[in-house]
Amino acid sequence: MKKAIYFMLISTLSFTVMNLIVKYLAHFGSGQLVLFRAFGSLFFTMSYLISNKISIAGNQKKLLILRGIVGVTSMGLFFMSVDYLPIGSAVSLRYLSPIFATIFAVIFLREHVKPIQWLFFLMAFGGVLMIKGFDPNINTLGLTLVLGSAIFSGGVYVIINKIGQKDHPVVIVNYFMWISFIVGGILSFFDWTMPSGIEWVLLLSLGVFGYFGQLFMTKAFQSQATNKIVSLKYAEVIFTMIAGAFWFIDVYPPLSIVGTLLVITGLILNIWYRRKT
């Protein structure tokens, strides 16, 4: 249990650092950020697949490609949103993706959702309205972009559920990274900003922190203590808000913070209820 907590905290810290770097590099186009995010991770995914002699092509190519397209759309929209929103708010709003994943699962996978879960989701949406209504730094464009990111992220969950155990998890991530690399490369061709000095290091580190965030989250979930540590992933929101306040001098009005806590609480209650039933 203690090891699982350490893994999850390392994961959230890795994602926090990645989020802060994305915010710092927001003057680069989202395509360029996607390109470097993918390039850094491909080093690890390709090395793993080759060294373990796992087929890179996968078994369900259409679903794997669809997962990659939906995933890169979500990532690109999120990277665009941080140029318009405080980084902590962007991260907390993107975490609405489980709500959209549930809606998609009801529509496409015929899953059943208990009425109390919809109550938890309404609590989270109420938090979004508080964040939008009481934080003058939340503009409509930024909110639209990050909600779009959450919607597509929710779609990713459903596609991965559909893929199931028929493809290795690293194969799924590898497809995602290759498609992101291609899409990011095409978009960067039309909107390229030449990095200088430390910016090269920061851009390349996006994929490194993103990969290790994903790796240690997976390790934590594999520890057989998922129901006890899954809520710790929302510590990423807290870490990012605190770091954003110090690094970018982001200011969060008290009622906006209450809204963020409502979002997190609603989502955690939903997770708790699902694990219980």
Side-chain angles (χ1 to χ4, degrees):
M1 177 61 183
K2 187 179 291 187
K3 185 178 291 187
I5 292 174
Y6 289 148
F7 285 154
M8 186 56 80
L9 288 176
I10 292 172
S11 171
T12 55
L13 286 171
S14 297
F15 281 130
T16 297
V17 174
M18 187 191 77
N19 294 332
L20 294 171
I21 294 173
V22 168
K23 178 70 173 180
Y24 181 74
L25 299 175
H27 57 283
F28 289 95
S30 59
Q32 202 167 342
L33 294 175
V34 167
L35 173 69
F36 280 96
R37 164 71 174 89
F39 181 77
S41 292
L42 278 172
F43 172 81
F44 298 100
T45 58
M46 289 297 293
S47 298
Y48 180 90
L49 294 175
I50 293 171
S51 62
N52 288 277
K53 298 180 180 178
I54 299 172
S55 172
I56 296 171
N59 301 312
Q60 304 173 90
K61 296 178 181 60
K62 289 183 179 178
L63 281 175
L64 290 168
I65 292 172
L66 180 61
R67 184 266 181 265
I69 293 172
V70 174
V72 71
T73 303
S74 174
M75 180 166 60
L77 289 172
F78 175 71
F79 286 172
M80 290 171 66
S81 73
V82 301
D83 198 26
Y84 300 96
L85 301 172
I87 186 61
S89 298
V91 171
S92 63
L93 292 170
R94 195 189 187 198
Y95 264 123
L96 290 170
S97 55
I99 298 178
F100 298 111
T102 301
I103 294 172
F104 292 145
V106 169
I107 297 172
F108 298 109
L109 303 179
R110 305 301 180 189
E111 292 187 3
H112 298 287
V113 179
K114 299 292 180 63
I116 193 171
Q117 288 180 267
W118 294 115
L119 179 62
F120 296 149
F121 291 155
L122 283 174
M123 181 187 298
F125 269 119
V128 174
L129 294 177
M130 289 191 69
I131 294 172
K132 170 60 178 169
F134 295 103
D135 191 342
N137 297 311
I138 305 294
N139 65 46
T140 303
L141 177 58
L143 181 63
T144 302
L145 289 170
V146 78
L147 288 180
S149 174
I151 290 170
F152 279 96
S153 183
V156 167
Y157 293 143
V158 175
I159 297 169
I160 291 177
N161 183 284
K162 193 73 174 175
I163 293 172
Q165 302 295 320
K166 296 178 182 178
D167 277 294
H168 193 284
V170 179
V171 172
I172 299 173
V173 174
N174 195 57
Y175 260 84
F176 173 34
M177 290 297 104
W178 270 113
I179 290 172
S180 298
F181 183 76
I182 293 168
V183 172
I186 293 172
L187 294 176
S188 297
F189 181 79
F190 297 99
D191 183 22
W192 176 267
T193 301
M194 183 58 68
S196 61
I198 192 66
E199 289 178 339
W200 283 104
V201 177
L202 293 175
L203 283 166
L204 290 170
S205 70
L206 285 174
V208 177
F209 284 110
Y211 175 81
F212 281 104
Q214 192 70 46
L215 173 66
F216 282 102
M217 183 173 69
T218 302
K219 285 180 175 290
F221 286 160
Q222 288 174 334
S223 68
Q224 305 301 317
T226 302
N227 60 326
K228 297 179 180 178
I229 53 88
V230 67
S231 59
L232 284 176
K233 71 178 182 178
Y234 292 102
E236 178 188 347
V237 177
I238 308 301
F239 292 157
T240 305
M241 289 183 75
I242 294 172
F246 281 100
W247 191 356
F248 301 110
I249 321 298
D250 287 340
V251 177
Y252 301 93
L255 288 177
S256 174
I257 294 174
V258 172
T260 301
L261 293 175
L262 271 177
V263 171
I264 297 172
T265 303
L267 297 174
I268 290 178
L269 284 173
N270 178 59
I271 293 170
W272 170 79
Y273 182 81
R274 287 174 57 192
R275 298 290 177 187
K276 184 181 177 182
T277 54

